[in-house]
Amino acid sequence: MTTETQAAADRSGSVAAGPADRDLDVLRAVEQRVLWLSTAIIDHANRVRPNPTGLKVGGHQASSASMTSIMTSLWFHELGPEDRVSVKPHASPVLHAVNYLLDELDESYLTTLRSFGGLQSYPSREKDPDPVDYSTGSVGIGATAPVWGAVARRYVNARFQDGGSGRQYSLIGDAELDEGACWEAILDPGVAELGEVVWIVDFNRQSLDRVVPNISATRLQGMFAAAGWQVITVKYGRLLEKLFAEPGGDALRTRIDEMTNPEYQRLLRCSATQLRERLPGSGPGSDKIAALLDGLDDASVDAVIRNLGGHDLGALTDAYAAIDDTRPTVVFAYTVKGHGLATAGHPQNHSALLTGDQMAELARDVGADPERPWERFPQGSAEAGLCERTAARLRRDPAPLRPPPQVPTDFKRTPSGSGSTQQALGRALLDLTRQAPATARHVVTVSPDVASTTNLGGWLNKVGTWSPTERRDWFADDAETILHWREQPGGQHIELGIAETNLVGLLGELGATWSRWGRPLMPIGVVYDPFVGRALEPWSFGMYAGGQSILVGTPSGVSLAPEGGAHQSVITPSIGLEQPGCTAYEPAFALDLEWCLLAGLSRLGKPDGGSTYLRLSTRSVDQSLAGVPADPAARERRRRQTVAGGYMLRRHAEPSLTIAAAGAMVPEALAAADRLAELGVGADVVCVTSADLLFRAVRARQGLQEGSDWILGQIFPPERARPMVTVLDGHPHTLAFLAGVNQVPSRTLGVTGFGQSGTLTDVHRHHGIDADGIVGASLDLTD
């Protein structure tokens, strides 16, 4: 029996099932207190807490209110300790309210929403003081994170047997399904096997600006079903379902089912008298609906239009009980945005705040005391008992933090001949399996269908492809097949469909296993460098959420000349320079790549670690140009400089200028230096391996951030300060700051326009980054 199957079989035993837990009245009282607390948290931040600047604080009372029933029923009835939940960004106050009632959040934090050092605007694993399973806030990314969390946990279980079990829930708004990231994840072929994944859609039919006019639940349900998901719809509450069984009930159901979203939302703002006039409509069965309503008092008529399944605790718990743990599940829970508040159903209620009078009215409705807004349930009450039992049930033991494996710094091999940094990546991974097998065991590579074209073939053949179950390789006996897809639970490569968002989403979760389950992995994702921009936002958000990984962008730049502008990246060096939580490298030689890769691996899987971005090239380069020192001490000095940002590749006896080059353009820089020497112009040549680290060193020198600036003194010594030419296969501003190290005149060369197809010579000449361009810029500075 697999871990996932066992978890499903044991689920009934993981959740307390005493009479009080089934008492909907007690659960409803907790729901009302959650509604009050979440609303009051936002109210205090906006109307009570001093605000000397007058800037809007904000918050989302209506979006939180639509989630209170769902989250109360989930936490206080359904969840087990191994379950993980990604909470809709705008419902963060609900999460804090729940954690407060479970004694997981100190009362002092309830007044700190969106204040410095307080509760974050959106749930944050890294910054919030209370338990948060998944950071959210980036629409569509938080929703999909549990999908990749499920894959990461299964991978840990398959490889190390210590990833635990439990469902992976996503609580999302219906408008969030507009995001392509959701559908890219849903459609990945492997996701249909993830029975522990459950999405609960807060189906309130409103977006940020308006009531959504033509959202089609039937269409969305069909799309999920077509992808292999179980679809559960919780549309109506038990009051309405009972009414539907009365004479005229069928007509009422048809009327509500067929009305447009805006008409339905308008009815939410009507009085009982207006509802009696408007709800029957003018179509077939209107007289039966009117007669049905005539038999109800005003309070019941008012309740009818609001009695949706997403606010019926019994209907929700029934839906949870129907979840099939053999395939992913989506629950469409119909709700009212702002349910229980004076702003319920208003088309502009997204950021609306209750007035003081409306807060007082809410307090009366839910039995709260505005003078003591953070009051807990009385000790000994049924509600307090439910909170205590829930807290005990959900309490998790902290995962033991295992140290990541030791990573070697140098394989002591000096590449020869010609080769590219992309080719060197595959060789370095194979060298890791030979020289540090215990470390290599923790490496997992991920690719969006580009493993072979990014030179991972040898690695893939060596370690196999990961799959939850073993699958037969039908081409194993084909002599002409050189890339073998041995799919098995022990594999170390995960192949995804062509979706860069999925790649970095999975990278982020694989890179968070050290903090979730105490099991550090070393995830490496490969993607065509031009498509890093497509993956940028979820990649960045994954790092914000604590995921540590290595992203390899390859091939890069206009050096991929024949492919044309669509496959020639320009801005990615700037991305590497600017991205927080990440160290960016663009090595020129195979040995540089090896050292930078090992340095990146050594940063993974620990509290003070971080991610790495490697920008690699397919350009074949003569490796002898690296001039690797033979002396061991000199070699180690070169290695330290390489992983710190750069090294002096050529030192002229009497330099007139400095040429600083990165990555694939270093051969042009050396060729230009040779030609300049023939013209009587001496040039130092600096190989920049990380503009990112050099920029940090500059800021450290200026006292703007912590760190050391030693590398600047070694590769740009003040006594050798000369006019500078910078060149790289990307936007020139990436290296422009280097002239400021010693305040020298400069010329910055690079790519500022879209590329086009051609030979390498043609394309480099077109962008002015060939040896001619470097020589010309150098003479401009030295004449």
Side-chain angles (χ1 to χ4, degrees), residues 1-44:
M1 182 178 289
T2 67
T3 303
E4 287 67 37
T5 305
Q6 184 65 56
D10 293 345
R11 173 159 294 278
S12 60
S14 68
V15 179
D21 293 87
R22 293 195 297 267
D23 188 336
L24 294 181
D25 289 334
V26 176
L27 195 59
R28 193 169 295 111
V30 173
E31 172 201 33
Q32 293 297 291
R33 186 59 56 88
V34 171
L35 174 63
W36 166 258
L37 287 170
S38 59
T39 307
I41 287 170
I42 301 169
D43 178 72
H44 189 281

mmCIF file of all heavy atoms in Angstrom, residues 1-44:
data_model
loop_
_atom_site.group_PDB
_atom_site.id
_atom_site.type_symbol
_atom_site.label_atom_id
_atom_site.label_comp_id
_atom_site.label_asym_id
_atom_site.label_seq_id
_atom_site.Cartn_x
_atom_site.Cartn_y
_atom_site.Cartn_z
ATOM 1 N N MET A 1 0.849 -1.193 0.000
ATOM 2 C CA MET A 1 0.000 0.000 0.000
ATOM 3 C C MET A 1 0.886 1.244 0.000
ATOM 4 O O MET A 1 1.823 1.354 0.786
ATOM 5 C CB MET A 1 -0.901 0.000 1.237
ATOM 6 C CG MET A 1 -1.864 1.194 1.318
ATOM 7 S SD MET A 1 -2.942 1.126 2.778
ATOM 8 C CE MET A 1 -4.021 -0.219 2.352
ATOM 9 N N THR A 2 0.635 2.187 -0.912
ATOM 10 C CA THR A 2 1.436 3.398 -0.976
ATOM 11 C C THR A 2 1.122 4.297 0.210
ATOM 12 O O THR A 2 0.112 4.143 0.892
ATOM 13 C CB THR A 2 1.150 4.178 -2.269
ATOM 14 O OG1 THR A 2 -0.194 4.668 -2.213
ATOM 15 C CG2 THR A 2 1.336 3.303 -3.491
ATOM 16 N N THR A 3 2.034 5.276 0.444
ATOM 17 C CA THR A 3 1.806 6.231 1.525
ATOM 18 C C THR A 3 0.508 6.987 1.314
ATOM 19 O O THR A 3 -0.244 7.240 2.252
ATOM 20 C CB THR A 3 2.981 7.216 1.588
ATOM 21 O OG1 THR A 3 4.183 6.489 1.761
ATOM 22 C CG2 THR A 3 2.806 8.182 2.754
ATOM 23 N N GLU A 4 0.227 7.353 0.037
ATOM 24 C CA GLU A 4 -0.981 8.126 -0.246
ATOM 25 C C GLU A 4 -2.233 7.289 0.008
ATOM 26 O O GLU A 4 -3.216 7.759 0.569
ATOM 27 C CB GLU A 4 -0.963 8.633 -1.689
ATOM 28 C CG GLU A 4 0.022 9.767 -1.932
ATOM 29 C CD GLU A 4 1.483 9.345 -1.802
ATOM 30 O OE1 GLU A 4 1.820 8.212 -2.200
ATOM 31 O OE2 GLU A 4 2.276 10.147 -1.294
ATOM 32 N N THR A 5 -2.194 5.999 -0.387
ATOM 33 C CA THR A 5 -3.344 5.126 -0.157
ATOM 34 C C THR A 5 -3.547 4.897 1.335
ATOM 35 O O THR A 5 -4.673 4.895 1.830
ATOM 36 C CB THR A 5 -3.130 3.777 -0.875
ATOM 37 O OG1 THR A 5 -2.870 4.015 -2.248
ATOM 38 C CG2 THR A 5 -4.359 2.903 -0.742
ATOM 39 N N GLN A 6 -2.455 4.709 2.050
ATOM 40 C CA GLN A 6 -2.554 4.519 3.486
ATOM 41 C C GLN A 6 -3.147 5.750 4.149
ATOM 42 O O GLN A 6 -3.973 5.644 5.062
ATOM 43 C CB GLN A 6 -1.168 4.224 4.078
ATOM 44 C CG GLN A 6 -1.197 3.914 5.576
ATOM 45 C CD GLN A 6 -1.961 2.640 5.871
ATOM 46 O OE1 GLN A 6 -1.641 1.578 5.336
ATOM 47 N NE2 GLN A 6 -2.974 2.724 6.703
ATOM 48 N N ALA A 7 -2.742 6.937 3.679
ATOM 49 C CA ALA A 7 -3.272 8.176 4.257
ATOM 50 C C ALA A 7 -4.771 8.251 4.055
ATOM 51 O O ALA A 7 -5.514 8.669 4.950
ATOM 52 C CB ALA A 7 -2.586 9.383 3.621
ATOM 53 N N ALA A 8 -5.233 7.845 2.874
ATOM 54 C CA ALA A 8 -6.669 7.873 2.618
ATOM 55 C C ALA A 8 -7.391 6.875 3.509
ATOM 56 O O ALA A 8 -8.462 7.159 4.047
ATOM 57 C CB ALA A 8 -6.939 7.562 1.146
ATOM 58 N N ALA A 9 -6.801 5.699 3.692
ATOM 59 C CA ALA A 9 -7.433 4.682 4.512
ATOM 60 C C ALA A 9 -7.485 5.088 5.977
ATOM 61 O O ALA A 9 -8.430 4.751 6.699
ATOM 62 C CB ALA A 9 -6.674 3.367 4.363
ATOM 63 N N ASP A 10 -6.476 5.831 6.426
ATOM 64 C CA ASP A 10 -6.401 6.220 7.828
ATOM 65 C C ASP A 10 -7.095 7.531 8.134
ATOM 66 O O ASP A 10 -7.151 7.960 9.289
ATOM 67 C CB ASP A 10 -4.928 6.341 8.264
ATOM 68 C CG ASP A 10 -4.230 4.993 8.267
ATOM 69 O OD1 ASP A 10 -4.939 3.974 8.219
ATOM 70 O OD2 ASP A 10 -2.987 4.979 8.296
ATOM 71 N N ARG A 11 -7.619 8.206 7.116
ATOM 72 C CA ARG A 11 -8.125 9.562 7.322
ATOM 73 C C ARG A 11 -9.207 9.613 8.394
ATOM 74 O O ARG A 11 -9.254 10.533 9.212
ATOM 75 C CB ARG A 11 -8.658 10.132 6.010
ATOM 76 C CG ARG A 11 -9.356 11.458 6.157
ATOM 77 C CD ARG A 11 -9.405 12.197 4.856
ATOM 78 N NE ARG A 11 -8.050 12.567 4.452
ATOM 79 C CZ ARG A 11 -7.422 13.629 4.925
ATOM 80 N NH1 ARG A 11 -7.974 14.409 5.805
ATOM 81 N NH2 ARG A 11 -6.204 13.905 4.511
ATOM 82 N N SER A 12 -10.107 8.650 8.396
ATOM 83 C CA SER A 12 -11.198 8.702 9.360
ATOM 84 C C SER A 12 -10.687 8.658 10.785
ATOM 85 O O SER A 12 -11.315 9.183 11.700
ATOM 86 C CB SER A 12 -12.179 7.560 9.120
ATOM 87 O OG SER A 12 -11.508 6.314 9.255
ATOM 88 N N GLY A 13 -9.530 8.046 10.973
ATOM 89 C CA GLY A 13 -8.986 7.989 12.313
ATOM 90 C C GLY A 13 -8.166 9.198 12.688
ATOM 91 O O GLY A 13 -7.798 9.365 13.848
ATOM 92 N N SER A 14 -7.855 10.067 11.726
ATOM 93 C CA SER A 14 -7.007 11.224 12.016
ATOM 94 C C SER A 14 -7.800 12.430 12.458
ATOM 95 O O SER A 14 -7.241 13.418 12.898
ATOM 96 C CB SER A 14 -6.181 11.597 10.780
ATOM 97 O OG SER A 14 -7.031 12.098 9.766
ATOM 98 N N VAL A 15 -9.131 12.379 12.340
ATOM 99 C CA VAL A 15 -9.963 13.516 12.681
ATOM 100 C C VAL A 15 -10.889 13.128 13.820
ATOM 101 O O VAL A 15 -11.566 12.106 13.762
ATOM 102 C CB VAL A 15 -10.803 13.966 11.462
ATOM 103 C CG1 VAL A 15 -11.688 15.135 11.829
ATOM 104 C CG2 VAL A 15 -9.887 14.329 10.310
ATOM 105 N N ALA A 16 -10.897 13.932 14.865
ATOM 106 C CA ALA A 16 -11.760 13.649 15.993
ATOM 107 C C ALA A 16 -13.217 13.592 15.544
ATOM 108 O O ALA A 16 -13.657 14.386 14.731
ATOM 109 C CB ALA A 16 -11.579 14.721 17.067
ATOM 110 N N ALA A 17 -13.957 12.643 16.082
ATOM 111 C CA ALA A 17 -15.331 12.450 15.622
ATOM 112 C C ALA A 17 -16.314 12.431 16.783
ATOM 113 O O ALA A 17 -17.332 11.762 16.733
ATOM 114 C CB ALA A 17 -15.435 11.151 14.828
ATOM 115 N N GLY A 18 -15.990 13.146 17.863
ATOM 116 C CA GLY A 18 -16.889 13.206 19.007
ATOM 117 C C GLY A 18 -18.151 13.968 18.683
ATOM 118 O O GLY A 18 -18.233 14.676 17.684
ATOM 119 N N PRO A 19 -19.177 13.834 19.543
ATOM 120 C CA PRO A 19 -20.465 14.496 19.283
ATOM 121 C C PRO A 19 -20.338 15.998 19.095
ATOM 122 O O PRO A 19 -21.008 16.579 18.245
ATOM 123 C CB PRO A 19 -21.284 14.148 20.531
ATOM 124 C CG PRO A 19 -20.670 12.888 21.059
ATOM 125 C CD PRO A 19 -19.212 12.997 20.736
ATOM 126 N N ALA A 20 -19.443 16.649 19.896
ATOM 127 C CA ALA A 20 -19.340 18.106 19.790
ATOM 128 C C ALA A 20 -18.841 18.527 18.416
ATOM 129 O O ALA A 20 -19.229 19.578 17.899
ATOM 130 C CB ALA A 20 -18.416 18.648 20.877
ATOM 131 N N ASP A 21 -17.979 17.712 17.787
ATOM 132 C CA ASP A 21 -17.445 18.045 16.479
ATOM 133 C C ASP A 21 -18.514 17.956 15.397
ATOM 134 O O ASP A 21 -18.393 18.566 14.350
ATOM 135 C CB ASP A 21 -16.270 17.117 16.138
ATOM 136 C CG ASP A 21 -15.078 17.376 17.047
ATOM 137 O OD1 ASP A 21 -15.034 16.771 18.122
ATOM 138 O OD2 ASP A 21 -14.235 18.196 16.681
ATOM 139 N N ARG A 22 -19.538 17.145 15.654
ATOM 140 C CA ARG A 22 -20.615 17.030 14.679
ATOM 141 C C ARG A 22 -21.754 17.999 14.963
ATOM 142 O O ARG A 22 -22.727 18.052 14.226
ATOM 143 C CB ARG A 22 -21.144 15.591 14.678
ATOM 144 C CG ARG A 22 -20.139 14.564 14.165
ATOM 145 C CD ARG A 22 -20.817 13.238 13.852
ATOM 146 N NE ARG A 22 -21.400 12.648 15.060
ATOM 147 C CZ ARG A 22 -20.757 11.767 15.830
ATOM 148 N NH1 ARG A 22 -19.532 11.399 15.520
ATOM 149 N NH2 ARG A 22 -21.350 11.265 16.885
ATOM 150 N N ASP A 23 -21.645 18.735 16.031
ATOM 151 C CA ASP A 23 -22.705 19.657 16.425
ATOM 152 C C ASP A 23 -22.592 20.919 15.580
ATOM 153 O O ASP A 23 -21.710 21.757 15.793
ATOM 154 C CB ASP A 23 -22.579 19.983 17.910
ATOM 155 C CG ASP A 23 -23.752 20.790 18.430
ATOM 156 O OD1 ASP A 23 -24.428 21.477 17.638
ATOM 157 O OD2 ASP A 23 -23.976 20.741 19.644
ATOM 158 N N LEU A 24 -23.476 21.061 14.610
ATOM 159 C CA LEU A 24 -23.393 22.200 13.703
ATOM 160 C C LEU A 24 -23.652 23.516 14.397
ATOM 161 O O LEU A 24 -23.164 24.563 13.967
ATOM 162 C CB LEU A 24 -24.361 22.005 12.534
ATOM 163 C CG LEU A 24 -24.027 20.851 11.589
ATOM 164 C CD1 LEU A 24 -25.047 20.774 10.459
ATOM 165 C CD2 LEU A 24 -22.628 20.992 11.015
ATOM 166 N N ASP A 25 -24.407 23.499 15.463
ATOM 167 C CA ASP A 25 -24.648 24.746 16.188
ATOM 168 C C ASP A 25 -23.354 25.272 16.807
ATOM 169 O O ASP A 25 -23.073 26.473 16.767
ATOM 170 C CB ASP A 25 -25.700 24.541 17.280
ATOM 171 C CG ASP A 25 -27.095 24.330 16.711
ATOM 172 O OD1 ASP A 25 -27.339 24.811 15.579
ATOM 173 O OD2 ASP A 25 -27.921 23.693 17.380
ATOM 174 N N VAL A 26 -22.560 24.380 17.370
ATOM 175 C CA VAL A 26 -21.275 24.786 17.935
ATOM 176 C C VAL A 26 -20.348 25.244 16.825
ATOM 177 O O VAL A 26 -19.666 26.276 16.937
ATOM 178 C CB VAL A 26 -20.647 23.620 18.733
ATOM 179 C CG1 VAL A 26 -19.264 24.021 19.243
ATOM 180 C CG2 VAL A 26 -21.546 23.231 19.890
ATOM 181 N N LEU A 27 -20.319 24.491 15.744
ATOM 182 C CA LEU A 27 -19.473 24.864 14.613
ATOM 183 C C LEU A 27 -19.895 26.211 14.053
ATOM 184 O O LEU A 27 -19.052 27.044 13.676
ATOM 185 C CB LEU A 27 -19.559 23.785 13.536
ATOM 186 C CG LEU A 27 -18.503 23.792 12.427
ATOM 187 C CD1 LEU A 27 -17.104 23.653 13.014
ATOM 188 C CD2 LEU A 27 -18.776 22.678 11.427
ATOM 189 N N ARG A 28 -21.201 26.461 14.031
ATOM 190 C CA ARG A 28 -21.708 27.737 13.520
ATOM 191 C C ARG A 28 -21.302 28.894 14.440
ATOM 192 O O ARG A 28 -20.997 29.996 13.971
ATOM 193 C CB ARG A 28 -23.221 27.674 13.373
ATOM 194 C CG ARG A 28 -23.826 28.819 12.570
ATOM 195 C CD ARG A 28 -25.276 28.557 12.238
ATOM 196 N NE ARG A 28 -25.426 27.397 11.357
ATOM 197 C CZ ARG A 28 -25.961 26.234 11.719
ATOM 198 N NH1 ARG A 28 -26.399 26.054 12.954
ATOM 199 N NH2 ARG A 28 -26.051 25.243 10.849
ATOM 200 N N ALA A 29 -21.278 28.658 15.729
ATOM 201 C CA ALA A 29 -20.846 29.696 16.662
ATOM 202 C C ALA A 29 -19.376 30.038 16.447
ATOM 203 O O ALA A 29 -18.975 31.212 16.511
ATOM 204 C CB ALA A 29 -21.094 29.237 18.099
ATOM 205 N N VAL A 30 -18.576 29.014 16.189
ATOM 206 C CA VAL A 30 -17.157 29.259 15.889
ATOM 207 C C VAL A 30 -17.038 30.033 14.579
ATOM 208 O O VAL A 30 -16.237 30.975 14.465
ATOM 209 C CB VAL A 30 -16.384 27.931 15.823
ATOM 210 C CG1 VAL A 30 -14.951 28.170 15.345
ATOM 211 C CG2 VAL A 30 -16.379 27.248 17.179
ATOM 212 N N GLU A 31 -17.840 29.663 13.604
ATOM 213 C CA GLU A 31 -17.840 30.374 12.320
ATOM 214 C C GLU A 31 -18.144 31.863 12.519
ATOM 215 O O GLU A 31 -17.475 32.736 11.935
ATOM 216 C CB GLU A 31 -18.872 29.753 11.397
ATOM 217 C CG GLU A 31 -19.088 30.527 10.097
ATOM 218 C CD GLU A 31 -20.435 30.208 9.463
ATOM 219 O OE1 GLU A 31 -21.405 29.956 10.211
ATOM 220 O OE2 GLU A 31 -20.512 30.230 8.229
ATOM 221 N N GLN A 32 -19.124 32.169 13.341
ATOM 222 C CA GLN A 32 -19.483 33.567 13.587
ATOM 223 C C GLN A 32 -18.351 34.325 14.287
ATOM 224 O O GLN A 32 -18.104 35.485 13.992
ATOM 225 C CB GLN A 32 -20.759 33.632 14.429
ATOM 226 C CG GLN A 32 -22.003 33.125 13.712
ATOM 227 C CD GLN A 32 -22.338 33.975 12.503
ATOM 228 O OE1 GLN A 32 -22.749 35.131 12.624
ATOM 229 N NE2 GLN A 32 -22.158 33.408 11.314
ATOM 230 N N ARG A 33 -17.641 33.638 15.185
ATOM 231 C CA ARG A 33 -16.514 34.304 15.856
ATOM 232 C C ARG A 33 -15.360 34.516 14.870
ATOM 233 O O ARG A 33 -14.678 35.545 14.922
ATOM 234 C CB ARG A 33 -16.052 33.462 17.044
ATOM 235 C CG ARG A 33 -14.970 34.134 17.898
ATOM 236 C CD ARG A 33 -15.437 35.495 18.476
ATOM 237 N NE ARG A 33 -16.647 35.365 19.247
ATOM 238 C CZ ARG A 33 -16.684 35.087 20.553
ATOM 239 N NH1 ARG A 33 -15.560 34.895 21.220
ATOM 240 N NH2 ARG A 33 -17.845 35.008 21.176
ATOM 241 N N VAL A 34 -15.136 33.575 13.968
ATOM 242 C CA VAL A 34 -14.111 33.751 12.935
ATOM 243 C C VAL A 34 -14.466 34.934 12.043
ATOM 244 O O VAL A 34 -13.598 35.748 11.683
ATOM 245 C CB VAL A 34 -13.948 32.460 12.105
ATOM 246 C CG1 VAL A 34 -13.050 32.709 10.893
ATOM 247 C CG2 VAL A 34 -13.370 31.341 12.958
ATOM 248 N N LEU A 35 -15.741 35.051 11.677
ATOM 249 C CA LEU A 35 -16.191 36.192 10.868
ATOM 250 C C LEU A 35 -15.914 37.495 11.597
ATOM 251 O O LEU A 35 -15.390 38.457 11.009
ATOM 252 C CB LEU A 35 -17.676 36.061 10.560
ATOM 253 C CG LEU A 35 -18.328 37.252 9.843
ATOM 254 C CD1 LEU A 35 -17.712 37.455 8.462
ATOM 255 C CD2 LEU A 35 -19.837 37.057 9.747
ATOM 256 N N TRP A 36 -16.251 37.542 12.861
ATOM 257 C CA TRP A 36 -16.034 38.778 13.625
ATOM 258 C C TRP A 36 -14.543 39.104 13.723
ATOM 259 O O TRP A 36 -14.136 40.241 13.473
ATOM 260 C CB TRP A 36 -16.629 38.655 15.024
ATOM 261 C CG TRP A 36 -16.139 39.739 15.950
ATOM 262 C CD1 TRP A 36 -15.184 39.633 16.913
ATOM 263 C CD2 TRP A 36 -16.521 41.121 15.917
ATOM 264 N NE1 TRP A 36 -14.952 40.852 17.501
ATOM 265 C CE2 TRP A 36 -15.770 41.791 16.916
ATOM 266 C CE3 TRP A 36 -17.434 41.840 15.160
ATOM 267 C CZ2 TRP A 36 -15.901 43.142 17.166
ATOM 268 C CZ3 TRP A 36 -17.574 43.198 15.407
ATOM 269 C CH2 TRP A 36 -16.814 43.842 16.396
ATOM 270 N N LEU A 37 -13.736 38.123 14.103
ATOM 271 C CA LEU A 37 -12.308 38.387 14.301
ATOM 272 C C LEU A 37 -11.634 38.838 13.012
ATOM 273 O O LEU A 37 -10.842 39.794 13.013
ATOM 274 C CB LEU A 37 -11.622 37.127 14.839
ATOM 275 C CG LEU A 37 -11.904 36.753 16.297
ATOM 276 C CD1 LEU A 37 -11.356 35.371 16.601
ATOM 277 C CD2 LEU A 37 -11.322 37.790 17.245
ATOM 278 N N SER A 38 -11.929 38.168 11.910
ATOM 279 C CA SER A 38 -11.285 38.539 10.650
ATOM 280 C C SER A 38 -11.706 39.940 10.216
ATOM 281 O O SER A 38 -10.884 40.712 9.698
ATOM 282 C CB SER A 38 -11.613 37.516 9.564
ATOM 283 O OG SER A 38 -13.006 37.422 9.346
ATOM 284 N N THR A 39 -12.970 40.276 10.441
ATOM 285 C CA THR A 39 -13.444 41.617 10.089
ATOM 286 C C THR A 39 -12.835 42.656 11.012
ATOM 287 O O THR A 39 -12.431 43.743 10.570
ATOM 288 C CB THR A 39 -14.980 41.669 10.162
ATOM 289 O OG1 THR A 39 -15.538 40.613 9.381
ATOM 290 C CG2 THR A 39 -15.503 42.993 9.639
ATOM 291 N N ALA A 40 -12.744 42.332 12.307
ATOM 292 C CA ALA A 40 -12.211 43.277 13.284
ATOM 293 C C ALA A 40 -10.718 43.513 13.100
ATOM 294 O O ALA A 40 -10.215 44.611 13.347
ATOM 295 C CB ALA A 40 -12.494 42.767 14.696
ATOM 296 N N ILE A 41 -9.991 42.489 12.667
ATOM 297 C CA ILE A 41 -8.556 42.655 12.403
ATOM 298 C C ILE A 41 -8.346 43.738 11.344
ATOM 299 O O ILE A 41 -7.472 44.601 11.474
ATOM 300 C CB ILE A 41 -7.945 41.310 11.953
ATOM 301 C CG1 ILE A 41 -7.827 40.348 13.133
ATOM 302 C CG2 ILE A 41 -6.575 41.520 11.307
ATOM 303 C CD1 ILE A 41 -7.455 38.920 12.744
ATOM 304 N N ILE A 42 -9.151 43.685 10.292
ATOM 305 C CA ILE A 42 -9.048 44.683 9.218
ATOM 306 C C ILE A 42 -9.555 46.037 9.690
ATOM 307 O O ILE A 42 -8.972 47.085 9.382
ATOM 308 C CB ILE A 42 -9.832 44.211 7.976
ATOM 309 C CG1 ILE A 42 -9.296 42.870 7.482
ATOM 310 C CG2 ILE A 42 -9.766 45.248 6.856
ATOM 311 C CD1 ILE A 42 -10.164 42.194 6.444
ATOM 312 N N ASP A 43 -10.637 46.023 10.441
ATOM 313 C CA ASP A 43 -11.207 47.277 10.948
ATOM 314 C C ASP A 43 -10.204 48.008 11.834
ATOM 315 O O ASP A 43 -10.019 49.223 11.706
ATOM 316 C CB ASP A 43 -12.483 46.963 11.731
ATOM 317 C CG ASP A 43 -13.118 48.216 12.325
ATOM 318 O OD1 ASP A 43 -13.679 49.019 11.545
ATOM 319 O OD2 ASP A 43 -13.030 48.391 13.553
ATOM 320 N N HIS A 44 -9.543 47.276 12.722
ATOM 321 C CA HIS A 44 -8.577 47.918 13.614
ATOM 322 C C HIS A 44 -7.430 48.529 12.829
ATOM 323 O O HIS A 44 -6.978 49.645 13.140
ATOM 324 C CB HIS A 44 -8.035 46.897 14.617
ATOM 325 C CG HIS A 44 -7.204 47.526 15.703
ATOM 326 N ND1 HIS A 44 -5.897 47.905 15.512
ATOM 327 C CD2 HIS A 44 -7.508 47.864 16.991
ATOM 328 C CE1 HIS A 44 -5.413 48.428 16.623
ATOM 329 N NE2 HIS A 44 -6.371 48.420 17.539
#
